[in-house]
Amino acid sequence: MEPALEEAFAAFVRERGEYFMRLAVLLAGTPPEAEDLLQASLVRLYQAWPRLDVTDGVPDAYLRKILVNTRRSWWRSRWRQETPVAAVPDAADPARDGSAHADRYALGALVREALAALPRQQRAVLVLRYFEDLPEASIAEILGCSAGTVKTHAHRGLRALRARLGDLESFRVNGTARPEGERK
């Protein structure tokens, strides 16, 4: 690859890598698996980089689709045989940094655990819809299904998350979370 293209790719990874790592964690369920997913996806993006027209904008959509398809491929082939350990003994305790940080950490861990328990399609739809804030049509295109299927997966996934997380009153953010059955 030409040096200018290599530098453009490296700049893209430096600028957007952290963002896509967060997306990979939500898709994969665990940080170690997310690192593998992102690394494999970046390798595929690197191979395609000379063919991409990056002058119009950043190839976010292309990498997003690679991430989803790679995760789907891994799930289908059961490629991931490693089982991550529950806790690393030398890890710092997040509760020592203050209660607000510990609460955010605990809430994030709880939501990631609930997401990881969902079927892969429901998880992918919820991550793309609510984390990526993509419209249903874009999600349908990425996943290769209809918009109706996206709506069904979103509905079932949200219902499963609500059942798993229990009382949403403690998770109220900006007054948007309401108990089951309560409408505006």
Side-chain angles (χ1 to χ4, degrees), residues 53-144:
D53 182 19
V54 294
T55 57
D56 292 340
V58 195
D60 284 1
Y62 193 73
L63 182 55
R64 189 179 303 118
K65 188 159 189 155
I66 290 173
L67 279 165
V68 170
N69 287 341
T70 302
R71 176 64 183 147
R72 186 184 310 169
S73 171
W74 286 1
W75 184 85
R76 284 184 182 149
S77 66
R78 305 262 188 232
W79 182 78
R80 304 300 314 150
Q81 298 299 320
E82 296 178 27
T83 305
V85 295
V88 178
D90 296 332
D93 182 10
R96 293 182 188 187
D97 294 341
S99 63
H101 177 70
D103 290 345
R104 273 196 331 265
Y105 181 83
L107 178 60
L110 187 63
V111 170
R112 283 189 299 276
E113 180 183 314
L115 273 172
L118 293 176
R120 66 179 176 79
Q121 284 289 91
Q122 289 178 11
R123 181 180 343 145
V125 166
L126 291 180
V127 168
L128 293 172
R129 181 72 180 111
Y130 298 104
F131 179 73
E132 286 286 306
D133 199 26
L134 293 177
E136 291 157 350
S138 296
I139 297 169
E141 183 181 328
I142 289 171
L143 297 178

